[in-house]
């Protein structure tokens, strides 16, 4: 579950909970890593990320040229990791704009 400006809530299945000696409702720290060496080639996953972070509506209120500049800036990054960094950056920027 994605919660804007907060920790994320993920389900941990029973086998994993048993292995780490946790039960349902217990808090655990989970580290997620991007497992891809493939750069994004179009805006679809970027817009999905904005939607999941609840900032898509804020993005859509921007002028079309600014939207295009943001997408282009993300896509032109050298690596997939840098693209992810830019997506996170823009999510934070859009979230701060919508909170004003």
């Amino acid at each position: 579950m994605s919660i804007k400006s907060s920790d994320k809530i993920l389900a941990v299945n029973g086998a994993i909970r048993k292995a780490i000696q946790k039960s349902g409702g217990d808090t655990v720290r989970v580290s997620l890593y991007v497992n891809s060496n493939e750069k994004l080639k179009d805006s679809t996953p970027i817009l999905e990320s904005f939607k999941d972070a609840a900032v898509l509506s804020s993005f859509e209120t921007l002028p079309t040229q600014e939207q295009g500049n943001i997408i282009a800036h993300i896509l032109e990054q050298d690596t997939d990791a840098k693209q992810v960094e830019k997506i996170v950056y823009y999510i934070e920027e859009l979230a701060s704009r919508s909170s004003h």
Side-chain angles (χ1 to χ4, degrees), residues 10 28-34:
L10 301 171
V28 297
R29 181 176 298 264
V30 177
S31 297
L32 301 176
Y33 299 91
V34 176

Side-chain angles (χ1 to χ4, degrees), residues 22-23 26 42 45 68:
K22 297 288 183 177
S23 58
D26 288 347
D42 65 58

